[in-house]
Amino acid sequence: MARVVVVDYMTCCNEQECQRKREKWFHLQSQFSPKGQKELEDFRLNMANGTHKILFDKHFYKRSLERSISEAAFKEVFDCGWVIERNKNSKGISLVLLGYVGKQYRPLHIVMDRINENVWVAVTAYDPQTHVWKWSDRFDERVCFCNPEDREGVQLL
């Protein structure tokens, strides 16, 4: 039986375009991530008081199960992680949290939609190491903005 080994070395489709997007991303996130961090800290305090709550999207449960992300890992990132992205979307504000969990310090990203001041929704969770080409070495900054379908990969048989 042939064994397939996928090498996670990918080349950027358009380095100039990624550089342009990276500079724009960095500029926007340097403005908006601190605001998101303040929102997260306020939300944590109000959750402790019982006035705020987190809902979990079906997609979150599905992906967490597929990606072996436990409830404890989610809680650890939510309680101790920090905001690396804050964006506006059709549902309101979206935040990407980064935290390192467990004895191996596994990096995890949690995506939260802020529906309103009192209700946030956990949308998805993932290990950024699965897309190492997309993130800085600390997994806190995007470095590639290529569409994954456009990227070139290497597959050995």
Side-chain angles (χ1 to χ4, degrees):
M1 178 176 209
R3 194 178 111 173
V4 175
V5 177
V6 178
V7 178
D8 196 19
Y9 176 77
M10 304 269 185
T11 59
C12 189
C13 301
N14 187 339
E15 289 184 33
Q16 289 177 334
E17 183 65 8
C18 274
Q19 179 64 30
R20 184 189 68 75
K21 288 180 178 180
R22 183 173 33 256
E23 288 169 5
K24 182 178 178 182
W25 179 90
F26 187 79
H27 173 72
L28 290 172
Q29 293 311 317
S30 64
Q31 291 179 328
F32 295 114
S33 287
K35 184 175 183 178
Q37 185 64 38
K38 174 76 169 110
E39 292 166 339
L40 175 62
E41 290 165 6
D42 291 346
F43 191 84
R44 286 174 178 157
L45 285 173
N46 288 314
M47 265 191 70
N49 297 334
T51 60
H52 290 48
K53 65 181 177 179
I54 297 175
L55 304 175
F56 294 87
D57 189 274
K58 287 181 188 178
H59 180 79
F60 178 87
Y61 283 121
K62 179 181 178 186
R63 294 295 184 225
S64 295
L65 182 63
E66 291 171 354
R67 297 167 179 163
S68 301
I69 299 171
S70 68
E71 215 175 291
F74 167 82
K75 186 171 176 14
E76 190 172 343
V77 172
F78 187 81
D79 290 345
C80 302
W82 60 97
V83 174
I84 61 168
E85 275 189 29
R86 181 185 187 271
N87 301 298
K88 288 187 178 180
N89 63 27
S90 61
K91 297 176 186 173
I93 302 295
S94 175
L95 300 171
V96 179
L97 310 181
L98 167 63
Y100 294 88
V101 299
K103 292 179 182 177
Q104 302 298 319
Y105 298 106
R106 178 185 182 195
L108 287 180
H109 286 176
I110 305 290
V111 180
M112 306 286 298
D113 280 348
R114 199 189 98 179
I115 303 304
N116 60 48
E117 189 177 307
N118 302 333
V119 179
W120 288 17
V121 176
V123 177
T124 194
Y126 59 93
D127 183 335
Q129 293 177 105
T130 60
H131 294 92
V132 70
W133 48 268
K134 186 177 184 176
W135 298 98
S136 66
D137 59 352
R138 292 176 294 160
F139 305 104
D140 60 346
E141 292 181 10
R142 287 185 192 263
V143 294
C144 184
F145 292 81
C146 292
N147 184 339
E149 288 80 34
D150 297 336
R151 296 181 62 79
E152 298 174 15
V154 177
Q155 188 173 29
L156 304 173
L157 296 178

